[in-house]
Amino acid sequence: MPIFAVHYTYSDATVEGRDSFRPEHRAWLNGLIDAGSLLTSGPYPDGSGALLLFQVADEATVEQLLVQDPFAREHLIDDVRAVEWLPVMGAFAS
C-alpha cells in the first residue's frame, strides 16, 4: 500500500487556536494510528508546520481523512501538501 507524506504549514496567527484544539487534534491522530492509516506524525521544531505519514490506498483516501482533522475544521492550517512518497531504505521501506 502506498505511503503519502503530508506537510502542514502553520503561521503565527494560528498558534492560539492550535494550542486550544491540540488535544482534539492528537486524539484524531491517535485514532488514525490505531486504525493503521497513520504511520507517524509530528510538528517541525520551528513551529512552521508538521509532517504526517499515511499508508492508505490512494490520495483520495488521504484527502478524505485530512478534512476530518480538527485543525482543518477550525481553519488552523495555512497550507497542505500531500504527495505519494516512495521510501527505498530504512524503517518505512518495503
Side-chain angles (χ1 to χ4, degrees), residues 3-89:
I3 295 176
F4 294 87
V6 175
H7 302 269
Y8 280 179
T9 301
Y10 302 140
S11 68
D12 290 342
T14 63
V15 170
E16 186 177 330
R18 285 184 283 120
D19 287 347
S20 295
F21 286 94
R22 184 166 290 111
E24 188 179 351
H25 169 72
R26 288 193 174 164
W28 173 76
L29 292 169
N30 279 319
L32 294 175
I33 287 172
D34 292 344
S37 301
L38 182 65
L39 298 173
T40 191
S41 72
Y44 300 128
D46 66 0
S48 66
L51 173 67
L52 301 86
L53 294 180
F54 288 89
Q55 190 164 33
V56 295
D58 51 36
E59 190 171 351
T61 303
V62 173
E63 292 171 2
Q64 290 170 352
L65 292 171
L66 293 177
V67 297
Q68 298 172 34
D69 185 344
F71 279 7
R73 182 191 69 223
E74 299 298 324
H75 308 287
L76 301 172
I77 305 164
D78 293 330
D79 190 44
V80 177
R81 179 174 183 246
V83 293
E84 188 171 345
W85 179 55
L86 182 61
V88 295
M89 292 182 239

